[in-house]
Amino acid sequence: MQFGIFTVGDVTTDPTTGRTPSEHERITAMVTIARKAEEVGLDVFATGEHHNRPFVPSSPTTMLGYIAARTERLQLSTATTLITTNDPVKIAEDFAMLQHLAEGRVDLMLGRGNTGPVYPWFGKDIRDGIPLAIENYHLLHRLWREDVVDWEGKFRTPLQSFTSTPRPLDDVPPFVWHGSIRSPEIAEQAAYYGDGFFANNIFWPKEHFQRLIALYRQRYEHYGHGSADQAIVGLGGQVFMRKNSQDAVREFRPYFDNAPVYGHGPSLEKFTEQTPLTVGSPQEVIDKTLTFRAAFGDYQRQLFLMDHAGLPLKTVLEQLDLLGEEVVPVLRKEFEALRPAHVPDAPTHAGLVAARDAALEATR
């Protein structure tokens, strides 16, 4: 099982000091956080894609390429890549290039995004969100698997005898997660292709995501990719820790109350009661995260949001120390002991290459 962090890259005023970092400071901080994640033994760093303030990660592949050159084993991903407003040809080529530069340490999460104005900025209509996601990924899937593509659809110009370059590393495309917080159509899409499904369950009660994940698992089995419990699931989460839980609550409260995505809404106590947010001691984080398996079944990737709402870099790095030293080692041991032998581990490039080669050998 993989453990890591994801960032939305918000530039938010620290409510305790009134200081707002510059865009440059925030971008360089994200690189520092990624390198720290590898240092403390985490597996994955993922960045969102946003094209509006107060967010800065408008070019995920640029950032991930830079991080790839400064890390050795960290898996690099997105959270998410906008399949609706990006040209699938450009996604195919950008991520294949990144895959080569990172020696295969790349996958990506596709999503529709949650910012309505982004659609017209890129010449799209938000009312076409689901059809765009379906059509664009159908093309992307083919571009990575067929050397020459003839294609015609509704939302972009046709392709005639087109070859996406470079070809994927070892002729094995990056693994794809389909991210969703509300759309059964996306769970269906992930199941149809046998891809991963990532439920970014940081806002809503678990019952909502249980329904989405159950649908994905059922349809994954329906399409013949394996049993329902072998489907590839990822979960989001959100934590803030101190050795003493009361200190964690006291320190995090002003950041929670003023956060750009959920500030000025439900209380911190209500939010932690109803969602995966955990604010407390490392043991409390361990205990709550372990309940995710009971709610959603065995899963392959757990990502935590940690660097948002104006938290200073020093505090985020302290959080990563706690996560890497006290939380993740326990979670690894516990989840591994519970995982049945037939349930797969998280996909990696090496694992996908080996599976491809084994399948070819079996046909000879």
Side-chain angles (χ1 to χ4, degrees):
M1 184 167 172
Q2 294 174 336
F3 293 92
I5 56 173
F6 71 100
T7 178
V8 295
D10 59 307
V11 179
T12 303
T13 300
D14 185 332
T16 68
T17 65
R19 185 180 186 279
T20 305
S22 68
E23 290 182 328
H24 178 72
E25 288 174 318
R26 189 68 176 96
I27 291 167
T28 56
M30 291 164 68
V31 174
T32 300
I33 289 164
R35 297 181 69 183
K36 181 69 171 182
E38 178 169 90
E39 177 189 319
V40 301
L42 302 184
D43 305 305
V44 183
F45 172 83
T47 175
E49 177 188 346
H50 296 278
H51 300 275
N52 59 294
R53 291 181 172 177
F55 306 99
V56 292
S58 58
S59 181
T61 52
T62 302
M63 172 169 283
L64 294 178
Y66 186 86
I67 293 170
R70 285 154 179 78
T71 55
E72 296 180 356
R73 61 166 193 80
L74 195 65
Q75 185 77 9
L76 306 173
S77 189
T78 54
T80 63
T81 295
L82 301 179
I83 188 61
T84 48
T85 52
N86 282 302
D87 183 358
V89 173
K90 195 68 168 71
I91 294 176
E93 295 186 336
D94 281 353
F95 279 89
M97 177 67 77
L98 179 59
Q99 189 189 35
H100 282 273
L101 292 172
E103 298 292 343
R105 295 185 288 124
V106 173
D107 55 49
L108 68 160
M109 186 196 309
L110 299 177
R112 291 184 293 134
N114 58 6
T115 307
V118 74
Y119 284 82
W121 293 343
F122 289 88
K124 306 299 181 184
D125 188 329
I126 192 172
R127 294 170 293 185
D128 295 325
I130 292 291
L132 275 165
I134 293 171
E135 180 177 295
N136 282 354
Y137 183 59
H138 176 66
L139 175 56
L140 175 60
H141 192 268
R142 288 188 59 192
L143 289 168
W144 274 337
R145 290 164 175 81
E146 301 175 30
D147 285 341
V148 180
V149 173
D150 292 304
W151 181 88
E152 184 171 351
K154 178 180 178 182
F155 296 108
R156 77 172 317 280
T157 54
L159 297 174
Q160 296 180 347
S161 301
F162 179 77
T163 299
S164 174
T165 59
R167 304 306 299 150
L169 178 65
D170 301 318
D171 290 322
V172 173
F175 185 78
V176 170
W177 303 82
H178 298 259
S180 179
I181 60 173
R182 60 184 175 271
S183 303
E185 296 92 342
I186 302 305
E188 174 76 18
Q189 183 183 41
Y192 176 82
Y193 289 101
D195 296 335
F197 181 69
F198 192 92
N200 189 11
N201 61 324
I202 64 171
F203 295 122
W204 293 355
K206 68 176 183 299
E207 290 78 11
H208 169 79
F209 293 101
Q210 283 176 317
R211 291 191 291 270
L212 278 177
I213 291 172
L215 171 64
Y216 162 66
R217 289 188 184 278
Q218 292 163 7
R219 300 301 287 171
Y220 184 95
E221 182 171 306
H222 168 80
Y223 288 116
H225 301 299
S227 61
D229 62 352
Q230 292 177 312
I232 309 299
V233 173
L235 296 176
Q238 185 177 357
V239 299
F240 186 86
M241 295 173 285
R242 288 303 184 199
K243 295 289 187 180
N244 181 287
S245 60
Q246 288 81 9
D247 291 339
V249 171
R250 183 174 60 254
E251 183 176 347
F252 187 64
R253 187 180 300 280
Y255 295 98
F256 175 88
D257 288 345
N258 293 278
V261 292
Y262 48 56
H264 311 289
S267 68
L268 175 58
E269 287 74 17
K270 183 64 70 175
F271 208 83
T272 54
E273 175 188 337
Q274 295 184 347
T275 77
L277 173 65
T278 310
V279 180
S281 67
Q283 187 60 52
E284 287 174 307
V285 172
I286 291 168
D287 292 342
K288 189 164 184 176
T289 305
L290 288 174
T291 68
F292 295 173
R293 180 181 181 273
F296 305 110
D298 289 290
Y299 63 109
Q300 283 74 23
R301 175 174 286 185
Q302 174 67 60
L303 300 184
F304 295 103
L305 176 63
M306 306 192 79
D307 69 325
H308 67 302
L311 286 167
L313 178 60
K314 177 178 180 293
T315 300
V316 176
L317 298 181
E318 292 168 350
Q319 294 292 303
L320 291 174
D321 279 329
L322 289 169
L323 190 66
E325 294 170 7
E326 300 192 30
V327 174
V328 166
V330 178
L331 291 177
R332 284 193 200 282
K333 181 179 178 180
E334 294 293 331
F335 276 114
E336 186 59 32
L338 294 167
R339 181 169 63 95
H342 72 282
V343 172
D345 206 344
T348 63
H349 182 72
L352 295 171
V353 170
R356 187 274 313 271
D357 293 345
L360 290 174
E361 185 65 29
T363 63
R364 292 174 181 168

